[in-house]
Amino acid sequence: MRLDKFLSEMGIGTRSEVKKLLKSQKVTVNGETITKPETKIDTDKDIVCYNNKQLVYEKYEYYMFHKPAGCVSATEDNIHKTVMDYITDTVHDDLFPVGRLDIDTEGLLLITNDGALAHNLLSPAKHVAKTYYAKIDGMVTDEDVNLFKKGVDIGEEKPTKPAELTILKSKPISEIELTITEGKFHQVKRMFEAVGKRVTYLKRISMGPLVLPDDLKTGEYRKLTTEEINLLINN
């Protein structure tokens, strides 16, 4: 990779800004000061330093974000705040949310620039499990549990795939957890509407092997651990 491209991808500056930095002799490769932007480097072997600080190249970035209500799962929007408005101090500028949560839905959202991983996680053929916690206006019953397990008619050509519904509290306002393996538009809300009930609060608490930690508050994000990344890739 060209040195100027490497420095730019590491967030040091634009290509033109990087060229000026190189002239100022603040960049070294394997201890040698380099001023030529076209210098080729091996990102796996060469040690590149800027202002005496080593720059470790990461082709992909992975973040777990606790999405708050009121923002949209997009990279840009002319009306609403986006989830990307919360993600700062990243190396790359091509990150995006994997899938989407409704504007009023909270919870786990993966932010990355790994397109291949995103495709695998969202592919219907992969059946990646997603678990939601929800409050329901209406008393959820064992009959609903059995119906969700068989599949629910939400007005499409085929009913939903079998889903695991767990009742946490069955009252006029019920609390449940629901695991689905699809990502149809407003799916959770539509499933409960199909049995005459209404979702009043919805939060995604897991996606595949990723589980939203209790100490990650709404609006906060953190890098995935190496273990979490490997679990996602090998899931």
Side-chain angles (χ1 to χ4, degrees):
M1 181 186 293
R2 282 176 56 118
L3 180 57
D4 57 350
K5 185 176 188 298
F6 170 84
L7 293 170
S8 180
E9 287 200 11
M10 291 300 296
I12 301 302
T14 63
R15 287 286 187 97
S16 59
E17 290 170 341
V18 163
K19 288 177 181 177
K20 293 178 182 177
L21 289 173
L22 287 167
K23 289 180 181 178
S24 68
Q25 301 188 345
K26 293 182 178 181
V27 178
T28 62
V29 178
N30 301 325
E32 180 184 351
T33 299
I34 302 296
T35 59
K36 294 181 178 180
E38 68 274 14
T39 301
K40 291 294 181 68
I41 63 165
D42 185 330
T43 56
D44 293 325
K45 297 178 181 179
D46 292 328
I47 298 175
V48 181
C49 295
Y50 169 61
N51 275 342
N52 297 316
K53 182 180 179 181
Q54 184 175 348
L55 303 175
V56 180
Y57 183 71
E58 294 179 356
K59 185 176 182 181
Y60 298 121
E61 291 183 272
Y62 306 89
Y63 296 93
M64 179 187 295
F65 176 53
H66 189 164
K67 177 191 175 297
C71 64
V72 294
S73 302
T75 54
E76 55 184 36
D77 190 277
N78 293 328
I79 301 173
H80 302 287
K81 190 172 186 176
T82 76
V83 294
M84 299 309 300
D85 290 327
Y86 291 84
I87 313 297
T88 59
D89 302 324
T90 61
V91 173
H92 299 280
D93 60 4
D94 58 347
L95 276 70
F96 56 88
V98 178
R100 61 179 59 243
L101 294 176
D102 295 341
I103 189 169
D104 59 348
T105 300
E106 300 179 1
L108 173 63
L109 197 60
L110 175 64
I111 308 291
T112 186
N113 59 338
D114 188 340
L117 175 65
H119 175 76
N120 284 336
L121 289 173
L122 298 175
S123 171
K126 295 291 184 179
H127 306 300
V128 174
K130 296 171 282 287
T131 301
Y132 296 81
Y133 164 81
K135 293 181 180 179
I136 310 297
D137 185 1
M139 189 169 291
V140 181
T141 65
D142 289 338
E143 185 180 347
D144 297 325
V145 172
N146 293 329
L147 182 59
F148 278 36
K149 191 177 294 185
K150 296 175 183 177
V152 182
D153 181 0
I154 58 173
E156 298 195 358
E157 185 178 342
K158 295 180 179 179
T160 61
K161 293 188 183 305
E164 183 179 345
L165 174 60
T166 301
I167 302 172
L168 304 176
K169 290 182 182 179
S170 184
K171 294 181 178 181
I173 297 295
S174 300
E175 295 181 38
I176 61 93
E177 285 185 4
L178 177 67
T179 300
I180 61 176
T181 57
E182 302 171 284
K184 295 181 183 295
F185 183 67
H186 293 327
Q187 181 170 344
V188 176
K189 296 173 183 176
R190 292 165 68 193
M191 289 176 76
F192 279 101
E193 286 173 1
V195 293
K197 301 172 179 69
R198 184 172 65 90
V199 174
T200 60
Y201 174 80
L202 186 62
K203 176 181 181 179
R204 184 157 69 192
I205 56 177
S206 73
M207 180 180 183
L210 294 184
V211 178
L212 186 68
D214 293 334
D215 59 353
L216 191 66
K217 299 177 182 177
T218 54
E220 293 184 344
Y221 66 97
R222 67 160 173 81
K223 277 190 170 185
L224 293 192
T225 65
T226 301
E227 181 182 6
E228 288 170 335
I229 295 169
N230 290 335
L231 284 172
L232 275 180
I233 292 173
N234 299 315
N235 185 43

